[in-house]
Amino acid sequence: MDLRAGDSWGMLACLCAVLWHLPAVPALNRTGDPGPGPSIQKTYDLTRYLEHQLRSLAGTYLNYLGPPFNEPDFNPPRLGAETLPRATVNLEVWRSLNDRLRLTQNYEAYSHLLCYLRGLNRQAATAELRRSLAHFCTSLQGLLGSIAGVMAALGYPLPQPLPGTEPTWTPGPAHSDFLQKMDDFWLLKELQTWLWRSAKDFNRLKKKMQPPAAAVTLHLEAHGF
Amino acid sequence: MALFAVFQTTFLLALLPLRTYESEVLSEPLLLTPESLKVSVNSTRQRLHLQWTVHSLAYHQELKMVFQIQISRFKTSNVIWVENYRTTVKRNRVLHWSWESKLPLECAAHFIRMRSMVDDARIPKPGFWSNWSSWEEADAQNSLGHDPLLVFPKDKLVEEGSNVTICYVSRIHRDNISCYLEGVQIYGEQLDRSVSAFELKNVSFIRKRGTNVFCKVDQGGALGGIVLFVSKVLEEPKDFSCETQDLKTLTCTWDPGSDTGLSKQPSQSYTLFESFSGKKTLCKHRNWCNWQVAQDSQETYNFTLVAENYLRKRSVSILFNLTQRVHPMTPYNLFPKNVGATNATMTWKVHSIGNNSTLLCQLELLAEGKVIQQHNVSIKVNGEYLLSELEPDTEYVARVRCAYTNHFWKWSELISQKFNTAEAAPSEAPDVWRNMKMVSGHPTVSLFWKPLSKVHANGKILFYNVIVENLDKPSRLEVLSIPAPTRSTELTLDQCSYQIHVTAHNSVGPSPASVIVISGDPGNEEVESGRVNGTEDGFSVSWKPQSGDATGYVVEWCDGPQDLPCALQWKNLGPNTTSTVISSGAFRPGVRYNFRIYEISAKRMAHLLEKKAGYLEELAPSDNPQVVMSNLTSHSFTLSWKDYSTESQPGFIQGYHVYLKPKAGEQCPPAFEKTVLPEDSLCCKHTIDNPEQKTFVVENLQPESVYEFFVTAYTSVGEGPLDAFTKITTLDEYSHILIRIILPMIFCVLIVMIICYLKHQWLKEKCYPDIPDPYKSSVLSLIKSKENPHLTIMNINDCVPDAIEVINKPEGSKIQFLGTRKSLTETEFTKPAYIYLLPTEKNYSGPGPCICFENFTYNQAASDFASCGHFPVTPQAPPHQLGPLTSPENLLKALEQNYMNSLGEIPAGEANLNYVSQLASSTSGDKDSLPTNPPEPALCSEYKMQMVIPLGLASAPPSENSSLSSTTLLGQGEHYR
């Protein structure tokens, strides 16, 4: 097959026409603002992933604590764990939460839980457990960043930690090791509940974002400002 | 004076106490009460600390005293401990005593009091106890808070194997409190209404996070627990030693044993202490530690390694001289230099140790993992050694290690280096053999050679050169170059003799040549074949040398079975050898191997000497001969298996077994013997011990009997598999005779039938004419000839129509009638005997159409009433049946009923003359048909048999020469009996 000069010009023109119309192809059009929808979806996916990851980590850690903490029906009183953010909330209250409050609660909870979890990591005696906890902490940090991203996309400011209220993991002298183990137990349990709640929270948000994106964006902007 | 007064006063004051003391000691017991008793609690260590003073003592006075201490639990009356504590007491000196409680102090209030007694030798009087101090309470429960359920001791650290007492304090005063150790319920002792104690004996390490003990109120929700940290027992460090690599740093190592680390307790620490210098260092690692050697040339060191954790301390010491603990560093830069085919120089370096120190290095040379050379070299820094006696093109490993020369302590680590020596020309000629055959009339030589061994190849063989030289006529040398992996070639030659040189070449040069001479004649010499026995080691082949100038022998064989292409193998043997063992991994049991032994002449020509065949292990035949049965007779048959090859069997065939199963109960034929088959059936067996006899005649069999036969070959191991028997039935004994007779007979009958068919008219005339001619009747002739030669045929023409004179012979009638027929006989005599001569057809006007021939042999009376209708009397009729028939009425009736019916059927025209064959009449006179069914032919026309009555039967037999015109034909005489 031989190409003549006339053919080459024709092909070039054709190529140019294709390139000119490329932005019009919907699948390739990346210029539009996708809104917070994808971020919420990603955050939702991340909560589900962390939920799964925590299941394995908690099993290992509770075995490390020993019985009765690794027994399935163990439900100790919440003695020293009062400072942990509670995930459980009245259903009506949860339904009536606005998006900003919902996201803020999530953000604050994971900020605290992450801090406690790092303290847990420092106490772990085995290298393998430390690696697993460090990996989970990194993932949880990612979730925190993801929530912050959703809040930023919706125009909500991040909650500022009050000075002096930074949670610490320095047990007092009267804090026995048994109570410490109970706190660890509650930390993991609360974390699991929070991840479960967050999945619900972000699923709810996701459903709210599904109507025409522009309308939702406007609505959220009205909230934000 | 004043000074004296002051001095006196002071002296008196000084004496006063002594005086007082002496007066007390000597007069009344000295009572010194402990004062200011204070009790403090150390909950962690579960110890009560007591401190008190004894104020009553004089200044600078020291006394030995004993303090009795009482400890009560829960209440003062419950004394649980009493101890006497002896000590020396000074005035205002605070005394201390502590006591460890097994029960955690938080679980119970403790009360302590004490009293004292002087226990000093300087005071001879026996002492008396002072009064008890008041009870002091040690209560650790005040600071417990308000938790409903508390378990103690908190976070206690113990060693493995300890006994630990756990207790709980319940503020809810319930009985349903259960306690668990690692999830397993434990049971203890209730000490108080709200306190229980549990003794854990010989506790063991479970995990670093501690052992969980917790108590809970059943269904109450209250829960309390502790973590008991059980540490492994700290072990003494083992294998503690120190050494130096450079006389600058000492490295001490040890085996630390178990790690005693818990989350409550860090792992044990190690401290290195040197007693001469008094220095110590905390080791960063748990199994080694570095110690910097001082510059002050300290030679002797005394190290103590101390292992320590919260619970225990362990130590171990060593004393050594520094220069006796030199462990040199691993040599480096080990390289081969100037590597030739048989030698190489190795060079290496070592780290220097101090100044002018020498090291003893050991150079080892390894080939195929084994040390083949070992050399010791003393060096300072650089080492070099020439290795010789190496094999060309061989991979070697050189390795070096060094030790301190002044005082050997340890070899350094090894350093290794691989190297290959250079190639050299192959050192040995290739082992060549040939196979000759004729292809299209030309002698074709297949040349084979074995690859040179690594020892002789001295490098990688690249190709083989084959030089063919014609010995009979001068011609150009033919050179073939064959690339290396090939191990054979084929040459097509003519009838001349050739000398073939084969050389192997590597990169350096050729090997010595292997020479073989081939004559133009393939020389299919016929030599005797023998057998060779196989053993586990192989085949032991031996031969007889033929000529004295043999330069060697070659044994040739094929590795595979005969039916596979031959993988030619051979073995070269020296001229003085007459036997060898041929072994090969390819030999298999049950395969026939053929060996050919060649003698190599001085001219390098090979002559076939012997042939041998053998089995590594003989097996029983795997298949049986295909037997053909022939020559079946009534007593024998022949079996043959000509196609059975004895050569291709898994053993030398020694013969055959012919099995024969006769029919039940029959004996074996003579050549057979009885045997029992594997399936327990009886059978006859005949053994043929000649493997070449492949036919067998089974004889002496019963005719028309079923036999089953089966033929199998056998080797020295056994016979072939038991196959199915073949059934055969012997022939009938007479069948062959029958065949010889029946066939010709059938043939004859056929011919007769054909003739009969063709000549049936003539036959009809002859044998069964429509109107029989008595003269022609053969029957008559037969009768005549056998019975009565005098019988003749009556001719009508012979009759005299006018009158017949009848001579009455009454005797003869009498003889013929018996019993009831007597009256009839008598009637005959009352009337004159006469014969009616019936008119001819023209004159006849009577009622019947019959012609009657009468003679005296007939009953007259019967003839009368019968008129023309005559009733024949069947001779066989019994006499009692004859009776009724004799009456006229009966006879008439019978005639009317039977005979007239028949007559009625005869047309008038035709009924005028009925001639009835006497033969027919005779045959119809069957006794069964009488009297009710007389034969029909005897009715219409009556032909009375007329015969000449013999003399013995007739009453008046005429003489043979009489002139009787009428002759009576009579049947056989017995008819009338």
Side-chain angles (χ1 to χ4, degrees):
Chain A
M1 179 182 175
D2 57 338
L3 289 171
R4 289 174 297 175
D7 290 341
S8 302
W9 282 112
M11 285 179 69
L12 186 64
C14 186
L15 192 64
C16 287
V18 168
L19 287 172
W20 179 258
H21 287 97
L22 264 184
V25 179
L28 297 172
N29 189 357
R30 312 292 296 173
T31 55
D33 182 12
S39 305
I40 292 169
Q41 179 63 43
K42 280 181 188 171
T43 314
Y44 169 79
D45 293 342
L46 193 54
T47 54
R48 299 308 303 267
Y49 167 69
L50 282 172
E51 212 179 328
H52 169 75
Q53 202 180 348
L54 181 66
R55 210 170 295 143
S56 142
L57 174 69
T60 312
Y61 194 86
L62 294 178
N63 279 336
Y64 163 69
L65 296 183
F69 303 99
N70 58 354
E71 288 169 358
D73 54 347
F74 183 60
N75 189 21
R78 198 181 162 114
L79 296 175
E82 290 302 330
T83 54
L84 287 172
R86 279 181 182 273
T88 46
V89 66
N90 184 282
L91 186 62
E92 286 308 316
V93 174
W94 179 76
R95 278 184 181 153
S96 64
L97 287 174
N98 62 35
D99 295 341
R100 179 178 175 175
L101 199 54
R102 192 182 297 280
L103 286 165
T104 305
Q105 282 186 359
N106 270 276
Y107 186 85
E108 284 177 343
Y110 287 115
S111 301
H112 283 74
L113 289 169
L114 182 62
C115 186
Y116 290 131
L117 207 59
R118 281 176 177 151
L120 202 70
N121 191 14
R122 281 192 290 274
Q123 290 210 327
T126 67
E128 188 189 344
L129 203 53
R130 276 200 295 272
R131 266 198 302 279
S132 300
L133 279 166
H135 177 65
F136 188 80
C137 283
T138 311
S139 303
L140 204 61
Q141 182 72 56
L143 177 64
L144 205 58
S146 192
I147 297 169
V150 173
M151 290 179 77
L154 295 175
Y156 304 141
L158 288 180
Q160 294 298 318
L162 292 171
T165 58
E166 183 71 26
T168 54
W169 197 258
T170 49
H175 212 76
S176 77
D177 208 79
F178 193 80
L179 288 178
Q180 179 65 55
K181 285 186 175 182
M182 293 229 298
D183 289 352
D184 293 355
F185 174 86
W186 272 109
L187 169 62
L188 293 172
K189 189 168 183 175
E190 204 61 67
L191 193 55
Q192 211 153 27
T193 319
W194 262 111
L195 285 168
W196 180 79
R197 176 182 159 175
S198 296
K200 293 272 178 200
D201 281 335
F202 287 98
N203 197 38
R204 193 178 175 85
L205 276 175
K206 191 172 67 174
K207 282 179 181 169
K208 279 180 79 175
M209 298 297 150
Q210 269 176 354
V216 173
T217 307
L218 281 173
H219 171 73
L220 291 174
E221 276 172 0
H223 264 285
F225 293 98
Chain B
M1 188 65 192
L3 183 63
F4 178 73
V6 170
F7 177 76
Q8 189 179 13
T9 307
T10 309
F11 180 74
L12 288 173
L13 282 172
L15 284 178
L16 183 61
L18 185 61
R19 171 77 184 159
T20 310
Y21 171 71
E22 283 180 351
S23 66
E24 283 173 1
V25 167
L26 296 175
S27 61
E28 56 187 24
L30 184 62
L31 292 173
L32 299 172
T33 308
E35 295 165 11
S36 309
L37 177 62
K38 288 182 182 171
V39 180
S40 60
V41 177
N42 184 339
S43 297
T44 310
R45 293 180 178 271
Q46 292 180 207
R47 294 190 85 89
L48 290 175
H49 287 281
L50 275 64
Q51 61 177 42
W52 70 97
T53 56
V54 180
H55 291 296
S56 314
L57 277 175
Y59 286 109
H60 310 295
Q61 187 182 4
E62 280 191 4
L63 269 181
K64 287 184 180 174
M65 292 185 70
V66 57
F67 297 93
Q68 192 171 54
I69 302 164
Q70 271 190 349
I71 301 174
S72 301
R73 187 172 282 164
F74 295 112
K75 54 188 179 184
T76 54
S77 58
N78 181 28
V79 175
I80 59 162
W81 193 265
V82 177
E83 186 177 325
N84 291 335
Y85 172 59
R86 296 170 191 280
T87 186
T88 305
V89 182
K90 271 186 173 181
R91 183 184 168 84
N92 293 332
R93 180 179 171 183
V94 179
L95 297 169
H96 295 273
W97 182 80
S98 74
W99 173 76
E100 184 181 0
S101 168
K102 282 189 177 178
L103 185 74
L105 297 174
E106 294 91 338
C107 287
H110 288 76
F111 303 92
I112 303 104
R113 69 175 182 176
M114 67 164 62
R115 61 183 179 177
S116 64
M117 184 174 67
V118 174
D119 185 27
D120 200 313
R122 290 174 293 177
I123 300 173
K125 262 196 168 181
F128 292 93
W129 285 111
S130 70
N131 292 328
W132 284 105
S133 67
S134 59
W135 286 104
E136 293 292 328
E137 185 180 359
D139 192 357
Q141 291 181 309
N142 296 331
S143 58
L144 295 183
H146 303 286
D147 288 339
L149 188 61
L150 294 161
V151 184
F152 297 100
K154 283 183 179 174
D155 307 342
K156 189 175 177 69
L157 176 65
V158 294
E159 270 188 340
E160 242 184 344
S162 309
N163 297 333
V164 181
T165 303
I166 310 283
C167 63
Y168 73 76
V169 180
S170 164
R171 301 236 161 99
I172 47 181
H173 306 302
R174 288 186 186 166
D175 297 332
N176 52 352
I177 295 173
S178 328
C179 293
Y180 302 86
L181 170 69
E182 285 291 308
V184 180
Q185 190 167 1
I186 50 175
Y187 301 94
E189 176 191 4
Q190 187 157 12
L191 303 178
D192 188 37
R193 194 161 148 258
S194 59
V195 177
S196 285
F198 307 85
E199 190 170 6
L200 308 179
K201 290 184 175 174
N202 194 17
V203 291
S204 56
F205 169 83
I206 293 177
R207 70 177 74 78
K208 291 194 169 188
R209 274 307 293 267
T211 306
N212 301 321
V213 182
F214 72 99
C215 301
K216 65 178 183 182
V217 179
D218 296 341
Q219 301 161 353
L223 184 140
I226 55 148
V227 178
L228 182 68
F229 290 96
V230 182
S231 162
K232 289 186 177 173
V233 179
L234 179 64
E235 296 173 49
E236 186 177 273
K238 297 180 201 72
D239 305 330
F240 177 47
S241 72
C242 299
E243 62 188 24
T244 179
Q245 290 188 318
D246 51 6
L247 297 175
K248 293 174 185 169
T249 305
L250 268 167
T251 303
C252 297
T253 56
W254 62 89
D255 174 10
S258 310
D259 181 14
T260 62
L262 301 168
S263 62
K264 179 81 173 174
Q265 168 188 258
S267 296
Q268 65 267 36
S269 65
Y270 291 91
T271 308
L272 201 56
F273 176 71
E274 204 285 308
S275 61
F276 293 117
S277 62
K279 292 179 183 172
K280 70 173 180 180
T281 182
L282 183 66
C283 299
K284 292 176 185 171
H285 308 279
R286 60 191 300 261
N287 59 346
W288 63 276
C289 200
N290 277 342
W291 182 273
Q292 293 302 318
V293 174
Q295 296 298 318
D296 55 0
S297 66
Q298 179 187 354
E299 285 195 355
T300 308
Y301 289 81
N302 184 8
F303 279 108
T304 301
L305 177 69
V306 180
E308 191 176 5
N309 64 9
Y310 287 174
L311 300 169
R312 198 183 281 266
K313 191 183 276 191
R314 290 288 183 97
S315 65
V316 60
S317 298
I318 53 168
L319 176 69
F320 61 88
N321 197 323
L322 181 66
T323 55
Q324 293 176 357
R325 292 288 187 274
V326 179
H327 184 195
M329 277 194 266
T330 312
Y332 62 102
N333 284 357
L334 173 66
F335 293 116
K337 195 172 74 176
N338 304 329
V339 179
T342 57
N343 53 45
T345 303
M346 301 304 298
T347 62
W348 68 95
K349 290 185 175 183
V350 293
H351 299 275
S352 65
I353 300 171
N355 297 326
N356 297 320
S357 296
T358 54
L359 291 175
L360 173 70
C361 291
Q362 190 178 62
L363 172 65
E364 288 178 333
L365 186 71
L366 290 88
E368 294 175 347
K370 291 179 182 172
V371 177
I372 55 169
Q373 291 184 25
Q374 196 177 64
H375 309 280
N376 289 334
V377 189
S378 277
I379 62 166
K380 287 190 183 298
V381 177
N382 295 311
E384 184 174 310
Y385 192 83
L386 174 66
L387 295 168
S388 56
E389 298 176 1
L390 306 181
E391 296 291 337
D393 188 44
T394 306
E395 186 184 86
Y396 291 99
V397 174
R399 61 186 192 191
V400 175
R401 56 183 181 176
C402 299
Y404 193 55
T405 312
N406 294 356
H407 189 279
F408 181 84
W409 162 241
K410 273 182 185 175
W411 286 111
S412 70
E413 297 297 314
L414 283 164
I415 179 173
S416 300
Q417 181 67 51
K418 276 185 189 175
F419 68 96
N420 271 60
T421 49
E423 289 189 358
S427 60
E428 199 164 88
D431 185 1
V432 179
W433 186 237
R434 89 293 179 278
N435 184 29
M436 294 185 67
K437 58 190 173 189
M438 296 295 284
V439 177
S440 309
H442 294 283
T444 302
V445 179
S446 297
L447 280 179
F448 302 92
W449 54 88
K450 293 175 183 170
L452 286 171
S453 67
K454 189 168 168 49
V455 176
H456 298 123
N458 290 342
K460 187 183 180 188
I461 299 298
L462 302 174
F463 61 92
Y464 295 90
N465 262 2
V466 178
I467 302 169
V468 183
E469 181 188 357
N470 193 327
L471 295 177
D472 294 343
K473 53 185 177 185
S475 62
R476 197 163 57 86
L477 293 177
E478 191 180 345
V479 179
L480 297 170
S481 188
I482 295 145
T486 314
R487 289 165 53 188
S488 65
T489 188
E490 203 162 82
L491 304 170
T492 304
L493 307 173
D494 53 20
Q495 302 296 332
C496 300
S497 296
Y498 287 90
Q499 182 165 293
I500 299 169
H501 304 250
V502 181
T503 50
H505 294 248
N506 64 13
S507 63
V508 178
S511 68
S514 184
V515 180
I516 193 165
V517 174
I518 288 159
S519 83
D521 178 21
N524 294 323
E525 305 101 314
E526 284 300 322
V527 293
E528 63 171 307
S529 277
R531 286 187 180 180
V532 60
N533 290 328
T535 62
E536 285 182 358
D537 301 327
F539 291 93
S540 182
V541 181
S542 61
W543 57 90
K544 291 175 187 168
Q546 273 189 350
S547 58
D549 63 342
T551 59
Y553 296 93
V554 171
V555 181
E556 172 196 287
W557 74 94
C558 292
D559 249 358
Q562 286 178 327
D563 50 349
L564 293 179
C566 174
L568 189 69
Q569 307 291 321
W570 70 94
K571 187 175 181 182
N572 263 311
L573 296 151
N576 299 323
T577 316
T578 56
S579 67
T580 185
V581 174
I582 306 292
S583 56
S584 166
F587 287 151
R588 297 281 176 269
V591 176
R592 190 189 190 106
Y593 295 101
N594 294 308
F595 298 93
R596 292 160 164 262
I597 299 132
Y598 291 88
E599 183 185 75
I600 310 297
S601 69
K603 292 180 180 176
R604 306 297 304 160
M605 287 183 92
H607 302 283
L608 182 61
L609 209 60
E610 285 180 32
K611 286 181 183 175
K612 304 265 186 188
Y615 293 87
L616 191 67
E617 183 191 340
E618 281 193 71
L619 301 178
S622 55
D623 53 351
N624 293 316
Q626 296 291 320
V627 180
V628 177
M629 195 276 297
S630 59
N631 298 340
L632 176 66
T633 68
S634 55
H635 291 285
S636 68
F637 57 87
T638 305
L639 302 174
S640 69
W641 52 94
K642 304 273 187 197
D643 296 336
Y644 189 68
S645 165
T646 53
E647 301 289 314
S648 56
Q649 301 306 322
F652 291 114
I653 299 297
Q654 294 185 341
Y656 307 94
H657 287 150
V658 180
Y659 289 97
L660 187 73
K661 275 189 192 170
K663 61 183 180 183
E666 194 178 311
Q667 293 294 319
C668 287
F672 287 80
E673 58 182 8
K674 271 193 176 176
T675 186
V676 179
L677 291 176
E679 70 266 24
D680 291 340
S681 62
L682 276 173
C683 192
C684 303
K685 184 170 98 171
H686 175 74
T687 303
I688 301 170
D689 53 7
N690 178 12
E692 297 308 319
Q693 183 191 331
K694 297 180 182 177
T695 59
F696 180 69
V697 179
V698 185
E699 294 173 310
N700 300 310
L701 304 176
Q702 295 292 324
E704 240 182 325
S705 298
V706 177
Y707 289 91
E708 292 180 60
F709 68 85
F710 162 63
V711 179
T712 180
Y714 67 91
T715 66
S716 62
V717 180
E719 59 182 21
L722 190 66
D723 276 352
F725 279 71
T726 307
K727 273 191 182 177
I728 188 168
T729 307
T730 50
L731 297 178
D732 180 11
E733 194 172 8
Y734 302 106
S735 59
H736 63 287
I737 301 169
L738 286 173
I739 286 169
R740 285 178 195 168
I741 294 170
I742 288 171
L743 282 176
M745 279 184 71
I746 291 170
F747 181 73
C748 291
V749 167
L750 276 174
I751 287 181
V752 168
M753 282 175 74
I754 292 166
I755 291 169
C756 289
Y757 178 73
L758 294 173
K759 298 286 182 183
H760 68 281
Q761 276 304 118
W762 179 79
L763 268 178
K764 191 175 178 184
E765 289 287 327
K766 280 285 180 190
C767 297
Y768 53 99
D770 290 336
I771 303 171
D773 184 352
Y775 290 103
K776 292 177 182 175
S777 172
S778 59
V779 175
L780 184 63
S781 65
L782 192 67
I783 296 170
K784 189 177 178 181
S785 62
K786 285 187 177 176
E787 298 292 331
N788 196 349
H790 304 291
L791 287 177
T792 54
I793 307 299
M794 187 187 76
N795 197 342
I796 297 172
N797 296 333
D798 293 341
C799 298
V800 179
D802 297 329
I804 297 168
E805 187 181 356
V806 176
I807 299 165
N808 196 358
K809 293 279 186 179
E811 294 89 354
S813 301
K814 278 181 185 174
I815 292 167
Q816 295 188 18
F817 296 99
L818 297 172
T820 55
R821 300 186 67 178
K822 187 181 175 183
S823 59
L824 185 63
T825 311
E826 288 169 354
T827 311
E828 282 182 41
F829 295 129
T830 57
K831 293 181 179 179
Y834 61 94
I835 297 173
Y836 293 102
L837 289 176
L838 297 177
T840 58
E841 188 179 358
K842 290 187 245 182
N843 303 324
Y844 180 67
S845 57
C850 299
I851 297 171
C852 295
F853 298 95
E854 284 289 339
N855 65 12
F856 283 105
T857 59
Y858 288 86
N859 188 303
Q860 187 62 52
S863 302
D864 287 345
F865 76 80
S867 181
C868 285
H870 177 70
F871 179 76
V873 178
T874 309
Q876 287 91 349
H880 67 275
Q881 290 181 339
L882 290 173
L885 289 176
T886 51
S887 64
E889 296 80 5
N890 290 346
L891 285 170
L892 278 173
K893 234 179 237 179
L895 283 172
E896 282 171 8
Q897 288 174 357
N898 299 318
Y899 297 163
M900 290 315 288
N901 290 339
S902 302
L903 289 174
E905 292 172 5
I906 301 168
E910 295 174 10
N912 290 335
L913 178 61
N914 273 346
Y915 185 91
V916 179
S917 167
Q918 291 179 13
L919 271 177
S921 174
S922 168
T923 53
S924 65
D926 187 59
K927 61 182 180 183
D928 294 332
S929 59
L930 284 176
T932 52
N933 293 313
E936 285 179 17
L939 299 178
C940 299
S941 66
E942 288 296 324
Y943 178 87
K944 300 293 185 182
M945 278 196 295
Q946 296 173 27
M947 59 171 65
V948 176
I949 300 170
L951 286 173
L953 298 172
S955 56
S959 64
E960 287 185 15
N961 299 322
S962 68
S963 57
L964 282 175
S965 56
S966 66
T967 306
T968 304
L969 272 174
L970 187 66
Q972 290 184 346
E974 60 265 24
H975 292 174
Y976 292 93
R977 276 182 282 169

